[in-house]
């Protein structure tokens, strides 16, 4: 019988954050591709677009005018998925038809006035302003009595459903913990209660020892391809120090966080020499006025591209009906990302 090899044999891996298993089929990375080849072109974009709802000084879809902003700019989403309004509600009490009202607020964050400047192309000091804005929004929203959780995220690229190319992110703040966060919290809590340590701190210490899945690191943060990653080039930024939320970061950590966001997004763009699409977001402690020693600040990047700027991983048949599956192994992906240059392909001189 042949000996088991992570990079050749189908196997399942456990995701301790979500308490789920995934299927890895590394040998399938070699299969021929005769499917769709969707085109993702880096179209030329001006620094300011008069027709963009998010550019400084422009009028948005609902008639409100944006400030002539010069840095990061936040406004309340004109088409919010959640509403502040409190409603009267009577539960039907039927266990198979449960529902409950959800209150919240949605915001849009324009990363900079420049319509054509994505995170990997921004200076670290300007990304730092985005991080500071995330922190002040976490405080402002989290201080509202009906907000218990603040989800900060970015959808980048039209294939991720992003409706506007002006670099921006979103914040959805709400009364309940969303499902992914609740699952994560449960795992972190169980681990903390049992071991009195942070699950992600212990995981990170082991990853640093093994080195195989580390993409890059600085003094305060590490980017790695998680052992249980499902997207081909999925990564996580994990803080080296155990703290629960963005406002616990000191000045040096804030700069280091901005620096590592630039680092990984530059590598992503360099991978297929395209503006790399992804959904990313921060997972951190809820703002529910309860102490959360189990939480460990981290950021997820879920990018869909697989083979080129035009071929993405589809989470379809087996994934929808069975469980998440990946072809290229997390170790192979980490090596590919690690070996990429740290200078953005658009700025490199030949
Ligand atoms: P996405 O591109 O990730 O969908 O984010 C853009 C958000 O901006 C979207 O949620 C909001 C949309 O509701 N928006 C406004 O609030 N006002 C506008 O004039 C245009 C878009």
């Amino acid at each position: 019988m042949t000996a088991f090899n992570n990079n050749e044999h189908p196997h399942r891996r456990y995701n301790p954050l979500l308490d789920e298993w995934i299927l890895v089929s590394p040998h399938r990375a070699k299969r021929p591709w005769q499917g769709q080849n969707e085109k993702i072109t880096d179209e030329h974009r001006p620094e300011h677009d008069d027709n963009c709802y998010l550019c400084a000084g422009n009028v948005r879809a609902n008639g409100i005018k944006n400030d002539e902003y010069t840095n990061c700019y936040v406004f309340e989403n004109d088409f919010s998925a959640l509403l502040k309004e409190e409603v009267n509600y009577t539960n039907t009490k039927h266990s198979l038809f449960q529902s409950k009202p959800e209150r919240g607020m949605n915001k849009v964050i324009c990363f900079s006035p420049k319509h054509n400047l994505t995170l990997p192309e921004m200076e670290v000091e300007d990304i730092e302003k985005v991080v500071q804005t995330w922190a002040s929004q976490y405080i402002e929203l989290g201080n509202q009595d009906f907000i218990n959780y603040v989800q900060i995220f970015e959808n980048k690229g039209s294939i991720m459903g992003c409706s506007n190319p002006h670099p921006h992110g979103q914040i959805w703040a709400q009364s309940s913990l969303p499902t992914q966060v609740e699952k994560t919290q449960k795992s972190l809590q169980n681990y903390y209660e049992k071991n009195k340590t942070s699950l992600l701190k212990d995981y990170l210490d082991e990853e640093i020892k093994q080195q195989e899945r580390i993409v890059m690191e600085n003094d305060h943060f590490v980017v790695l391809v998680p052992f249980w990653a499902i997207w081909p080039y999925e990564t996580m930024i994990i803080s080296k120090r155990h703290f629960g939320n963005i406002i616990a970061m000191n000045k040096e950590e804030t700069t280091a966080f901005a620096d590592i966001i630039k680092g990984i997004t530059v590598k992503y763009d360099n991978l297929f020499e395209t503006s790399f699409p992804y959904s990313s977001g921060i997972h951190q402690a809820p703002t529910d006025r309860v102490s959360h020693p189990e939480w460990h600040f981290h950021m997820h990047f879920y990018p869909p591209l697989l083979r080129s700027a035009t071929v993405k991983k589809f989470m379809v048949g087996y994934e929808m009906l069975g469980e998440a599956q990946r072809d290229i192994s997390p170790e192979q992906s980490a090596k590919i990302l690690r070996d990429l240059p740290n200078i953005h392909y658009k700025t490199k001189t030949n």
Side-chain angles (χ1 to χ4, degrees), residues 19 185-195 294:
D19 189 20
Q185 173 157 299
K186 204 176 264 174
S187 301
L188 294 174
Q189 234 162 15
N190 288 343
Y191 190 93
Y192 191 80
E193 272 164 24
K194 208 163 130 206
N195 304 290
E294 76 280 11

Side-chain angles (χ1 to χ4, degrees), residues 109-154:
I109 303 185
C110 303
F111 294 150
S112 92
K114 294 198 177 156
H115 183 76
N116 57 356
L117 209 63
T118 59
L119 284 176
E121 296 161 298
M122 285 168 67
E123 300 296 332
V124 171
E125 61 183 52
D126 292 324
I127 301 177
E128 212 174 317
K129 288 177 191 145
V130 177
V131 176
Q132 284 159 353
T133 306
W134 288 339
S136 57
Q137 286 298 316
Y138 178 84
I139 297 174
E140 189 187 308
L141 289 162
N143 278 344
Q144 310 252 9
D145 58 0
F146 64 99
I147 299 293
N148 291 312
Y149 183 70
V150 177
Q151 182 58 60
I152 294 165
F153 66 97
E154 178 190 4

Side-chain angles (χ1 to χ4, degrees), residues 79-109:
F79 308 96
S80 288
L82 293 154
L83 301 170
K84 286 174 252 185
E85 191 190 353
E86 209 169 358
V87 289
N88 229 334
Y89 176 74
T90 320
N91 196 335
T92 57
K93 300 228 168 46
H94 192 305
S95 65
L96 297 179
F97 294 85
Q98 295 187 52
S99 71
K100 51 182 186 166
E102 184 67 11
R103 292 174 75 194
M105 288 173 74
N106 297 51
K107 297 217 181 172
V108 178
I109 303 185

